[in-house]
Amino acid sequence: MRHLMSPLDFSVEELDQLLDLANDIEKHPEKYAHACDGKKLATLFYEPSTRTRLSFEAAMMNLGGNIFGFSSAASSSAAKGESVSDTIRMVSCYADICAMRHPKEGAPMVASAVSSIPVINAGDGGHQHPTQTLTDLLTIRSLKGRLDHLVIGLCGDLKFGRTVHSLVRALARYEHVTFVFISPEELKVPEYIKEDVLKAENIPYKEVERIEDVMPELDILYMTRVQRERFFNEADYVRLKDFYILNNKKMNLAKDDMIVMHPLPRVNEISVEVDKDPRAAYFRQVQYGVYVRMALILTLLEVKVC
Ligand code: CP
């Protein structure tokens, strides 16, 4: 039995197969409509979510399966003090697979150690968000045609942004990927990612503060939200929250085939005027998230569709 804690749990070859499966699901959804008849997915969300929880639920429903779960710690027995380990032991009796989001780093890993069903990390604190990364990889491969030979700019909260941490680890495995980190000093990408992932593998990267200085060289611009919920101090959040606002004037500096991605939700960091730009890919990215979660559920449940 396999769990998914990090995008690196899959080899590059396994990821290729997963993304191929997602592409086939996109082209032939009817083939998969009963693939999970009789199977149940539990969504255990101890932290708010719109996309991840609902896309997991849509994915399982598209496969013919059933869903149940909770959308906040307050509406589960966590509010009475039940541990993650005990909760997953219960859920293992009810469901065939589960997706867990938790504010504490490592909570899904704790669950996976005692679970008798596959556990998917749906985001743990500021650590990892592997299914967002699968979504991002599918989006990039589908819209750019490759996962190598890319210059990717990651902009905003690179310190607490788990989507950024997961995506850097995943893309670092492909050839000739260059990272451009765009952030204020206080929200720079953590040292452990630079040391353990980038410097260790001699992967080129640079760090800048002004988005305008690097727009012309990017193949992908990955915007992120400054996350109020990760700050200890409200004054720091207020000072940094509008540091970057992508607008049409800045988009005019970019390549014609650059794409703009964002894991969403957005607050102010992408002006709504950019939504009409054909290079804005963030809503298409959401749709890819459903296909790739369908592929992931099939893979972890070892369901084969001919
Ligand atoms: N991208 C993402 O994780 O969105 P939600 O927080 O709405 O799930």
Side-chain angles (χ1 to χ4, degrees):
M1 187 183 61
R2 286 184 85 164
H3 308 285
L4 179 69
M5 295 296 120
S6 151
L8 303 194
D9 291 351
F10 288 120
S11 67
V12 170
E13 292 72 28
E14 286 174 324
L15 267 179
D16 274 347
Q17 286 167 12
L18 188 85
L19 301 184
D20 288 346
L21 179 57
N23 283 142
D24 196 57
I25 290 168
E26 178 185 5
K27 283 193 206 112
H28 308 287
E30 67 291 344
K31 245 170 75 179
Y32 299 89
H34 296 285
C36 284
D37 278 357
K39 304 272 189 205
K40 296 187 277 296
L41 166 80
T43 49
L44 313 179
F45 277 61
Y46 294 82
E47 203 185 48
S49 167
T50 296
R51 269 147 301 277
T52 311
R53 186 170 65 85
L54 298 186
S55 63
F56 263 115
E57 295 183 356
M60 191 49 146
M61 291 162 85
N62 290 347
L63 293 167
N66 296 302
I67 53 159
F68 61 87
F70 53 82
S71 58
S72 69
S75 64
S76 78
S77 284
K80 304 176 201 160
E82 186 163 58
S83 68
V84 163
S85 299
D86 282 359
T87 301
I88 195 68
R89 284 188 176 98
M90 305 307 119
V91 173
S92 294
C93 302
Y94 311 142
D96 299 289
I97 187 166
C98 86
M100 176 184 287
R101 170 169 289 189
H102 203 287
K104 284 201 181 132
E105 284 86 353
M109 179 73 87
V110 168
S112 69
V114 295
S115 177
S116 55
I117 60 173
V119 177
I120 300 167
N121 178 3
D124 60 330
H127 186 217
Q128 300 248 20
H129 194 344
T131 63
Q132 182 63 49
T133 301
L134 299 181
T135 301
D136 298 340
L137 295 178
L138 181 64
T139 305
I140 295 169
R141 203 182 75 162
S142 301
L143 299 183
K144 300 297 294 178
R146 63 189 190 279
L147 290 168
D148 49 19
H149 294 82
L150 290 167
V151 179
I152 177 164
L154 298 117
C155 178
D157 177 2
L158 310 186
K159 178 179 180 184
F160 298 112
R162 60 193 174 199
T163 59
V164 169
H165 304 163
S166 285
L167 184 58
V168 170
R169 283 179 188 280
L171 278 177
R173 297 196 290 182
Y174 295 88
E175 285 187 357
H176 298 290
V177 172
T178 299
F179 294 96
V180 180
F181 297 118
I182 308 154
S183 74
E185 184 64 31
E186 295 93 328
L187 296 178
K188 282 169 85 168
V189 76
E191 279 306 314
Y192 73 88
I193 292 191
K194 286 184 264 182
E195 292 296 328
D196 301 351
V197 182
L198 303 173
K199 289 182 188 165
E201 300 294 332
N202 274 329
I203 295 164
Y205 73 92
K206 66 179 171 184
E207 296 180 280
V208 300
E209 195 168 282
R210 276 171 44 87
I211 195 168
E212 293 88 338
D213 294 345
V214 292
M215 279 296 268
E217 64 197 74
L218 304 179
D219 297 310
I220 299 163
L221 173 61
Y222 193 94
M223 295 296 294
T224 62
R225 172 178 65 100
V226 174
Q227 302 173 95
R228 181 181 221 143
E229 64 273 28
R230 308 275 178 239
F231 278 80
F232 295 112
N233 177 334
E234 177 72 8
D236 284 346
Y237 167 72
V238 170
R239 187 166 49 80
L240 294 169
K241 71 183 172 69
D242 292 331
F243 204 91
Y244 298 106
I245 299 179
L246 183 66
N247 55 21
N248 283 344
K249 192 169 166 212
K250 289 179 188 136
M251 288 295 286
N252 285 339
L253 301 171
K255 290 181 187 171
D256 289 344
D257 65 348
M258 186 194 79
I259 57 168
V260 183
M261 297 173 63
H262 192 310
L264 304 178
R266 80 169 143 189
V267 185
N268 288 328
E269 60 279 2
I270 302 179
S271 168
V272 290
E273 70 184 16
V274 177
D275 296 356
K276 293 196 194 81
D277 191 306
R279 295 169 293 181
Y282 31 93
F283 292 122
R284 281 174 282 169
Q285 199 176 341
V286 172
Q287 182 63 64
Y288 286 120
V290 178
Y291 301 136
V292 89
R293 288 185 175 96
M294 290 170 73
L296 178 65
I297 291 168
L298 292 173
T299 301
L300 295 182
L301 288 178
E302 298 180 7
V303 175
K304 297 266 183 275
V305 177
C306 301

